[in-house]
């Protein structure tokens, strides 16, 4: 098996995460580029929402599957599967946040990182 060299791994991982979210019809998909923000915790946040806990879990599973399929990497940490109101998949270079819609509105994570360059994506 030949592995291709990936120039910007964090950008590639964020694209794979977006694709995994789109596969399960995630809503309001946003990628925040945190690379130019002093003291940022990661290169990218990928954020999406879903209408139910079942869909939140399905999206998280899809993201994990897409990233593992392409780069054989599991999340360093993952949280939130018990209640599935807000699941976090931490790949160190990127962090994926999948919210139930009302939780996303409550926490307003995009506003916390308002200086970040934001890119929106359509659901598949």
């Amino acid at each position: 098996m030949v592995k291709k060299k990936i120039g910007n791994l964090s950008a590639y991982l964020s694209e794979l995460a977006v694709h995994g979210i789109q596969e399960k019809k995630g809503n309001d998909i946003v990628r925040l580029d945190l690379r130019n923000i002093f003291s940022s915790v990661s290169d990218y946040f990928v954020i999406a929402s879903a209408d139910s806990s079942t869909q939140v879990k399905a999206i998280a599973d899809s993201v994990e599957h897409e990233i593992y399929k392409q780069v054989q990497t599991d999340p360093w940490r993952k949280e939130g599967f018990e209640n599935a109101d807000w699941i976090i998949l931490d790949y160190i270079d990127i962090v994926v946040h999948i919210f139930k819609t009302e939780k996303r509105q409550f926490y307003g994570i995009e506003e916390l990182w308002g200086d970040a360059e934001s890119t929106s994506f359509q659901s598949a």
Side-chain angles (χ1 to χ4, degrees), residues 88-113:
I88 298 172
L89 302 173
D90 185 347
Y91 288 90
I92 299 172
D93 293 330
I94 72 159
V95 179
V96 182
H97 300 266
I98 307 155
F99 290 93
K100 279 180 62 179
T101 302
E102 63 273 7
K103 293 291 183 183
R104 181 176 180 177
Q105 293 168 350
F106 178 79
Y107 286 105
I109 196 165
E110 288 99 329
E111 287 78 35
L112 294 174
W113 298 96

Side-chain angles (χ1 to χ4, degrees), residues 8 20 42 44 69 77 82 99 114:
N8 185 340
S42 186
Y44 293 96
K69 182 171 71 175
R77 265 190 94 103
E82 303 78 37
F99 290 93

Side-chain angles (χ1 to χ4, degrees), residues 16-114:
L16 293 172
V18 167
H19 180 70
I21 294 165
Q22 289 172 326
E23 286 291 307
K24 297 299 178 184
K25 310 288 190 242
N27 301 321
D28 301 321
I29 306 165
V30 174
R31 180 178 64 188
L32 300 178
D33 185 342
L34 305 171
R35 293 174 296 172
N36 294 321
I37 296 178
F38 181 71
S39 76
S40 68
V41 295
S42 186
D43 287 351
Y44 293 96
F45 277 179
V46 178
I47 306 165
S49 50
D51 297 326
S52 68
S53 296
T54 302
Q55 187 184 15
V56 169
K57 285 182 183 179
I59 291 169
D61 289 342
S62 180
V63 169
E64 283 191 78
H65 175 75
E66 287 297 322
I67 290 176
Y68 190 83
K69 182 171 71 175
Q70 295 300 321
V71 295
Q72 290 72 51
T73 300
D74 288 316
W76 173 67
R77 265 190 94 103
K78 53 186 176 179
E79 300 286 337
F81 277 86
E82 303 78 37
N83 295 327
D85 287 337
W86 176 6
I87 291 179
I88 298 172
L89 302 173
D90 185 347
Y91 288 90
I92 299 172
D93 293 330
I94 72 159
V95 179
V96 182
H97 300 266
I98 307 155
F99 290 93
K100 279 180 62 179
T101 302
E102 63 273 7
K103 293 291 183 183
R104 181 176 180 177
Q105 293 168 350
F106 178 79
Y107 286 105
I109 196 165
E110 288 99 329
E111 287 78 35
L112 294 174
W113 298 96

